[in-house]
């Protein structure tokens, strides 16, 4: 078979998969339309969920970056078995079913959870509060940030770092002037993906944080709730999330590591 | 995140294409050769029932084939969720939601006149040992976490009715002091109850029958009869086989299973058993 025929044949399965991915999105936009989008957005559920989602996901992103950047640097430089085990642990939430993550969060941080008594003695209530929403988002979003930030740090050529050090630059200056700028595209891409994932978090939030309008009801939970009363509102919320996800993904592709790199 | 696209690309692609074709052919043959459902097998009916009917309809579904009926495929979820599925075209012979509102407009989908087959009442579910010492609805004003059903699902709508009756007697402030403690509104009654069994909720409003079904995992604190909303379960069928199952539910055997699960007769006044 000649290569061009192979290429043409490859389109057959590819088109099927692309149709499967594209059809739901087209259907969502088609069935919602502009008028229904307006009517849906007028639903009081929407504003409250937008505020909740924005506040919690931004906080989750700050936490992911603050705690994830040091870990990503360590993972990039930790050689040997410990490093690979830690990396495995850090990647685990990607493949966990969200409902399982939510239940485990309850069993860990709930009242009767493993850390329940400790948290209670500190006067901290987590489950069914916005703290729980943020925690669930950090759990599911962190792996995406870690993966890209670690790859970014790994991609920094050690020779640049060594040259800077031999020229008398201190460790912090070397990090902020050499390592960080070189790893920045990956770090930003990781942050955007992590934010998108945090915004989309549903299962773990539902189980660990509950579903209360104005408090723990994020956009995905509002879609779930709106489906039971006002399908238009559910569709409008879905369109919002689709738009945000698209913007974030485009940002990742524009400013993130160039294809073939990383 | 990126794939190595260099190397023996062309060759491996060609091989995978061949093996893909072969796999496809094998699959097609297997499908053609697989036995069809034979004509003698009675066609099962699909019964959609509210979460609160889980145990009772489980018993009914198992008993029906032994009493001359066809096999029953049971789908249990929040009534509103089931209604959405039916509206979206899910095949369903019998629909038994937890309130009449869910059946409105479904005649377009072939559902006939609904019959009332059971009544229920609300109760307060608390963790074993009743740590917060809840004795009556008013006590929910002093516990920390109350979980109820979402207003869109029947149990949540009934709970709102309960709070309205409570407010009519004790005032808006008393109602507010309870509603302030609500930390989650769940999509079906079993999710509400799960928060109590996990020990995460101090109290929850559920159906009496749910607390009974999870005896040994939760405790029930009764709610005064004068506060109880009227909770009736309608059932409707969209096919002849479905109507036969409805007759079975309304008949002596069906009604006994429902009594055993804690439901009241359709003609009994609410809140009593």
């Amino acid at each position: 078979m000649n290569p061009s025929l192979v290429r043409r044949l490859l389109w057959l399965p590819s088109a099927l998969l692309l149709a499967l991915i594209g059809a739901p999105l087209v259907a969502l936009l088609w069935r919602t339309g502009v008028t229904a989008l307006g009517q849906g957005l007028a639903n009081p559920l929407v504003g409250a969920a937008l505020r909740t989602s924005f506040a919690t996901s931004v906080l989750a992103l700050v936490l992911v970056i603050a705690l994830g950047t040091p870990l990503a640097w360590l993972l990039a430089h930790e050689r040997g078995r410990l490093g690979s085990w830690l990396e495995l642990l850090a990647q685990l939430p990607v493949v966990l079913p969200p409902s399982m993550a939510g239940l485990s969060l309850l069993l860990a941080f709930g009242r009767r959870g493993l850390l329940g008594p400790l948290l209670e003695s500190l006067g901290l209530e987590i489950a069914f509060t916005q703290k729980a929403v943020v925690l669930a988002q950090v759990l599911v979003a962190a792996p995406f940030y870690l993966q890209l930030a670690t790859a970014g740090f790994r991609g920094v050529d050690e020779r640049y770092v060594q040259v800077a050090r031999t020229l008398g630059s201190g460790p912090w200056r070397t990090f902020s002037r050499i390592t960080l700028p070189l790893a920045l595209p990956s770090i930003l891409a990781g942050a955007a993906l992590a934010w998108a994932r945090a915004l989309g978090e549903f299962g773990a939030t539902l189980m660990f944080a509950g579903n209360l309008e104005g408090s723990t009801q994020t956009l995905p939970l509002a879609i779930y709730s709106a489906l039971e009363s006002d399908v238009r509102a559910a569709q409008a919320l879905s369109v919002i999330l689709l738009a945000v996800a698209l913007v974030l993904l485009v940002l990742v592709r524009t400013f993130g590591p160039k294809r073939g790199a990383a | 995140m990126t794939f190595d696209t260099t190397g023996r690309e062309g060759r491996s692609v060609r091989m995978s294409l061949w093996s893909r074709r072969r796999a496809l052919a094998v699959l097609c043959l297997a499908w053609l050769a697989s036995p069809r459902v034979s004509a003698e097998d009675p066609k099962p009916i699909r019964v959609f029932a509210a979460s609160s009917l889980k145990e009772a309809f489980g018993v009914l579904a198992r008993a029906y084939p032994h009493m001359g009926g066809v096999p029953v495929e049971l789908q249990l979820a929040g009534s509103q969720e089931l209604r959405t599925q039916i509206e979206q075209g899910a095949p369903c012979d019998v629909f038994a939601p937890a309130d009449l509102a869910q059946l409105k407009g479904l005649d377009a989908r072939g559902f006939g006149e609904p019959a009332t087959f059971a009544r229920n009442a609300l109760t307060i579910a608390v963790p074993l040992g009743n740590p917060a010492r809840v004795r009556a609805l008013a006590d929910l004003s002093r516990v920390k976490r109350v979980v109820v059903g979402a207003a869109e699902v029947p149990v949540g709508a009934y709970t709102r009715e309960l709070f309205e009756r409570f407010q009519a007697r004790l005032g808006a402030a008393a109602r507010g002091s309870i509603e302030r403690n609500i930390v989650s509104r769940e999509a079906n009654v079993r999710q509400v109850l799960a928060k109590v069994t996990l020990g995460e909720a101090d109290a929850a409003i559920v159906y009496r029958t749910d607390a009974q079904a999870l005896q040994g995992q939760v405790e029930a604190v009764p709610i005064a009869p004068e506060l109880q909303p009227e909770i009736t379960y309608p059932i409707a069928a969209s096919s002849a086989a479905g109507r036969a199952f409805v007759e079975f539910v309304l008949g002596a055997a069906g009604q006994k299973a429902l009594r055993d699960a804690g439901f009241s007769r359709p003609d009994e006044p609410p809140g009593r058993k």
Side-chain angles (χ1 to χ4, degrees), chain A residues 232-248:
Chain A
R232 280 177 322 207
Q235 290 178 347
L237 286 165
S238 302
V239 172
I240 297 175
L241 272 180
L242 173 64
V244 174
L246 259 178
V247 167
L248 285 174

Side-chain angles (χ1 to χ4, degrees), chain B residues 12 33 43-44 58 63 98 107 131 134 144 163 184 200 207 214 238 259 270:
Chain B
S12 64
K43 199 171 158 285
D107 39 343
V134 176
K144 279 185 105 170
F163 285 158
S184 188
E200 294 298 337
Y207 298 119
L214 270 78
S238 65
R259 283 310 87 68

Side-chain angles (χ1 to χ4, degrees), chain B residues 196-227:
Chain B
V196 180
T197 50
L198 283 165
E200 294 298 337
D202 297 308
I205 310 282
V206 298
Y207 298 119
R208 187 180 66 206
T209 50
D210 294 292
Q212 184 179 324
L214 270 78
Q215 249 170 4
Q217 296 184 53
V218 297
E219 276 180 33
V221 177
I223 293 171
E226 63 270 20
L227 294 176

Side-chain angles (χ1 to χ4, degrees), chain A residues 128 206 209-212 216, chain B residues 146-149 182-186 195:
Chain A
F128 303 100
L206 186 64
N211 187 4
L212 192 67
T216 59
Chain B
V146 177
V147 175
V148 298
I182 294 175
V183 295
S184 188
R185 298 178 190 271
E186 303 283 330
K195 301 299 179 290

Side-chain angles (χ1 to χ4, degrees), chain A residues 94-245:
Chain A
V94 177
V95 290
L96 290 183
S99 53
M100 185 236 132
L103 182 60
S104 315
L105 279 168
L106 260 184
L107 296 177
F109 301 106
R111 268 187 189 174
R112 290 192 192 161
L114 215 53
L115 302 172
L118 175 71
L119 294 168
E120 205 178 330
S121 67
L122 296 173
L124 266 177
E125 288 243 12
I126 294 184
F128 303 100
T129 65
Q130 280 200 350
K131 296 187 200 87
V133 180
V134 174
L135 227 58
Q137 289 174 344
V138 169
L139 175 74
V140 300
F144 291 88
Y145 180 73
L146 285 174
Q147 185 167 9
L148 279 164
T150 306
F153 284 134
R154 278 210 184 106
V156 174
D157 195 329
E158 272 303 307
R159 282 174 299 184
Y160 295 140
V161 177
Q162 275 156 17
V163 166
R165 297 299 305 274
T166 53
L167 290 174
S169 167
W172 171 245
R173 197 177 135 94
T174 313
F175 178 79
S176 60
R177 301 294 290 273
I178 306 289
T179 312
L180 200 58
L182 283 172
L184 203 59
S186 282
I187 288 178
L188 289 179
L193 273 187
W195 195 22
R197 185 64 189 85
L199 272 174
E201 202 330 283
F202 171 71
T205 310
L206 186 64
M207 293 192 78
F208 182 45
N211 187 4
L212 192 67
E213 197 186 322
S215 163
T216 59
Q217 188 175 80
T218 56
L219 284 170
L221 267 71
I223 292 176
Y224 180 66
S225 294
L227 203 56
E228 287 166 355
S229 58
D230 182 359
V231 180
R232 280 177 322 207
Q235 290 178 347
L237 286 165
S238 302
V239 172
I240 297 175
L241 272 180
L242 173 64
V244 174

